[in-house]
Amino acid sequence: ATGAHRLGREWALDKTQEPDGATYDGVGPVKDLDDGAAWLDRFTDAAGGRLVVAGGSYIGIEMAEAALRRGFKVTLVTRSRVMSSFDPDMSDRIVEGLRRGGVEVVENAAVTGLGTSEGRVRSVGTDSGSFACDLLVLALGIRPATGFLDGNVLERGPSGGLRPDPRGVVAPGVWAAGDCCEVRHRMLDDWAYLPLGTHANKLGRAVGENLGGGHLEFDGALGTAITRFVEDGVHLEIACTGLNTALAEETGLEVVSLVTEGTTASGYMPEAEPIAIKVLAEKGTRRLLGVQVVGGRGAGKRIDAVAACLWGEMTVDDLAWMDLSYAPPFATAWEVVSLAARRLAERL
């Protein structure tokens, strides 16, 4: 929980409040720079202790890495799967990398309660048992801070996010941008809540331009995202764009997919790192639907070429035959993204 005012915000950095009013030290969210600074202080005060991260998405993985680097023993608990926006076969690869890096990963385990002593968290209870800890990170995602609009006529989606037009207009005289907004998902042609800094910046730029008398439109998003986990000899890059299998099938699409394993550079080069790419396409139209990437150094940013293809509504064949760069330190002669698309095209 976070307070709406500054005093409430400071309280929330160090305490978690139970329904009966009790608060516990060592528990807090990580959503902004103030949170980050507070967690650095906590890491110093409890150096070498035990930390539990509740939440298995981008922030949860990044906080696990930060704690490991400071000597903590880390347990990551998530109520579903780690990186549940990925298909299970790709999520499993992420879990394997986290475990190799020293993270204890517990999936399908919702947090059920806290064990405390002298006003401080000592353990976290879950569906899969209890885990001792000195600190508990809440990396549970966010909701739009639009509760103050309850009872207002401004349109909001199921997430609670506002729905501005491409210029940022919610209603005459009302403008909005950032994590309080839903955006148009270009693959679904429907609203989606995608709280990412990229969209916040772009729609914010449009709002500023338009308030100043110009005309600029934000034309939607694909959900392109990237992170990494680096610890104890493990370098894991994680990226995705477009639809995953479950979301595509929910919209009635007939999906064909394939995972291709390769290397980020020619195999005889010291730079070569393993990479796995899952490509999804629509049967019949051969339209590219999405791609997920898990691999070593240099793997993640390959997602941008795929995002460009999705933006241009290209097919899996277009991606397979694109003129992508090659030199042995950077890629294989048939760039691995194109190779993955080609193999799926052959299956289609």
Side-chain angles (χ1 to χ4, degrees):
T2 55
H5 302 291
R6 183 62 190 166
L7 288 177
R9 191 76 185 117
E10 290 172 346
W11 167 83
L13 288 173
D14 295 314
K15 309 273 189 176
T16 286
Q17 190 173 41
E18 292 289 296
D20 62 2
T23 60
Y24 304 119
D25 290 331
V27 184
V30 53
K31 296 182 181 179
D32 57 27
L33 288 174
D34 288 341
D35 292 347
W39 275 108
L40 288 176
D41 291 340
R42 291 195 193 97
F43 286 157
T44 299
D45 294 341
R50 298 162 299 182
L51 180 136
V52 171
V53 178
S57 194
Y58 296 91
I59 299 299
I61 289 174
E62 290 161 7
M63 286 299 289
E65 176 192 289
L68 284 170
R69 290 188 176 188
R70 289 163 175 81
F72 283 83
K73 295 180 180 179
V74 177
T75 300
L76 187 150
V77 176
T78 178
R79 62 184 176 183
S80 57
R81 293 183 288 107
V82 169
M83 296 301 290
S84 58
S85 58
F86 283 61
D87 285 358
D89 52 355
M90 297 298 283
S91 177
D92 289 345
R93 294 172 184 268
I94 299 170
V95 170
E96 193 274 333
L98 293 175
R99 287 174 172 158
R100 282 193 291 115
V103 180
E104 179 185 14
V105 178
V106 183
E107 296 184 289
N108 301 306
V111 173
T112 56
L114 304 181
T116 63
S117 173
E118 299 178 349
R120 187 171 187 86
V121 64
R122 301 298 180 185
S123 64
V124 177
T126 76
D127 296 336
S128 297
S130 180
F131 301 90
C133 70
D134 302 295
L135 297 172
L136 170 61
V137 176
L138 303 176
L140 305 175
I142 65 172
R143 289 190 297 268
T146 56
F148 69 97
L149 294 172
D150 289 349
N152 195 285
V153 297
L154 297 180
E155 182 183 5
R156 286 182 285 168
S159 71
L162 294 163
R163 290 180 165 181
D165 71 13
R167 299 180 67 241
V169 177
V170 179
V174 181
W175 305 70
D179 291 353
C180 62
C181 297
E182 294 184 357
V183 301
R184 184 178 74 88
H185 197 301
R186 292 173 63 94
M187 301 297 297
L188 301 173
D189 194 25
D190 199 0
W191 293 98
Y193 186 55
L194 302 172
L196 296 170
T198 47
H199 316 324
N201 274 272
K202 290 171 185 173
L203 184 53
R205 172 66 180 268
V207 168
E209 178 78 14
N210 296 325
L211 284 172
H215 185 88
L216 187 62
E217 294 188 349
F218 170 64
D219 202 24
L222 299 167
T224 308
I226 188 170
T227 191
R228 72 175 191 180
F229 172 83
V230 181
E231 179 61 25
D232 195 23
V234 175
H235 186 112
L236 189 67
E237 297 185 1
I238 304 161
C240 66
T241 188
L243 306 180
N244 59 27
T245 299
L247 188 55
E249 290 179 345
E250 284 176 14
T251 63
L253 297 172
E254 188 171 1
V255 180
V256 179
S257 64
L258 185 67
V259 176
T260 294
E261 296 181 342
T263 55
T264 58
S266 295
Y268 51 83
M269 297 298 296
E271 295 89 349
E273 297 269 356
I275 182 173
I277 300 177
K278 185 167 189 175
V279 182
L280 289 73
E282 182 182 16
K283 187 175 182 179
T285 68
R286 307 174 73 89
R287 179 171 62 122
L288 187 66
L289 297 177
V291 167
Q292 301 161 30
V293 175
V294 178
R297 191 184 305 272
K301 284 294 281 183
R302 282 172 157 84
I303 204 67
D304 289 341
V306 181
C309 291
L310 291 176
W311 195 269
E313 301 180 356
M314 297 181 182
T315 67
V316 68
D317 306 279
D318 293 324
L319 178 56
W321 290 95
M322 285 181 68
D323 184 15
L324 301 179
S325 62
Y326 161 65
F330 302 102
T332 49
W334 200 298
E335 156 60 29
V336 65
V337 171
S338 291
L339 175 62
R342 192 196 77 193
R343 288 180 174 173
L344 181 57
E346 290 168 351
R347 172 171 290 191
L348 285 167

